[in-house]
């Protein structure tokens, strides 16, 4: 796989500051289900604390990506489900700890009425593209 192509300002579209409008890549697709702020024992991390929950969610995403042989450098799309858009600065700070501003994936942020439990403030899913190796994991 060559480096994904990231386009932040396609012709006729306002430039994106916090994401890339378009990311194109070829290779093996890795889909990571929405991750919640749960530790390895299934306990909620950071009740009522969006920053703590965002950090845990990104740690979980990192572990899931690693299980597929991927890392954040392979992520081409993130989808954020938040119970309040006011949590997005915490989400962006956690993302920045894992993804540099020059490698921003395509993204969507959706405010939802609730998640699987009212204690969860966010859920984040990822799509990554790995180089094709000719074998399966």
């Amino acid at each position: 796989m060559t480096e994904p192509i990231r386009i932040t300002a396609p012709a006729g579209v306002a430039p994106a500051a916090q994401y890339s409008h378009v990311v194109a890549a070829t290779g093996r697709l890795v889909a990571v289900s929405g991750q919640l702020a749960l530790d390895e024992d299934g306990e909620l991390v950071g009740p009522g604390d969006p920053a703590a929950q965002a950090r845990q969610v990104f740690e979980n995403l990192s572990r899931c990506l690693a299980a597929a042989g991927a890392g954040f450098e392979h992520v081409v799309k993130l989808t954020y489900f938040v119970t309040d858009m006011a949590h997005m600065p915490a989400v962006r700070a956690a993302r920045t700890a894992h993804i540099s501003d020059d490698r921003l994936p395509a993204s969507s942020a959706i405010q939802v009425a609730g998640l699987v439990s009212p204690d969860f403030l966010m859920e984040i899913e990822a799509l990554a593209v790995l180089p094709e190796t000719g074998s399966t994991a």
Side-chain angles (χ1 to χ4, degrees):
M1 175 183 86
T2 58
E3 179 70 21
I5 299 167
R6 292 172 174 81
I7 304 168
T8 58
V13 178
Q18 297 293 330
Y19 58 92
S20 295
H21 278 292
V22 179
V23 180
T26 59
R28 187 167 51 97
L29 182 67
V30 176
V32 179
S33 291
Q35 295 298 301
L36 298 165
L38 295 172
D39 65 16
E40 62 188 78
D41 296 320
E43 298 296 323
L44 174 65
V45 172
D49 182 346
Q53 288 199 22
R55 286 190 301 270
Q56 183 65 45
V57 168
F58 272 89
E59 285 302 316
N60 291 348
L61 288 168
S62 179
R63 291 179 180 113
C64 290
L65 289 164
F72 281 104
E73 68 273 17
H74 302 109
V75 172
V76 296
K77 176 78 163 70
L78 290 170
T79 305
Y80 309 102
F81 302 94
V82 294
T83 58
D84 188 331
M85 282 296 173
H87 302 325
M88 286 307 295
V91 169
R92 287 187 197 107
R95 182 200 63 204
T96 297
H98 295 275
I99 303 172
S100 66
D101 285 346
D102 64 338
R103 300 179 64 83
L104 293 174
S107 298
S108 296
I110 302 109
Q111 183 170 325
V112 296
L115 296 165
V116 69
S117 165
D119 295 326
F120 296 116
L121 304 177
M122 65 198 63
E123 182 172 335
I124 303 171
E125 63 185 26
L127 288 176
V129 177
L130 284 170
E132 290 193 37
T133 61
S135 63
T136 58

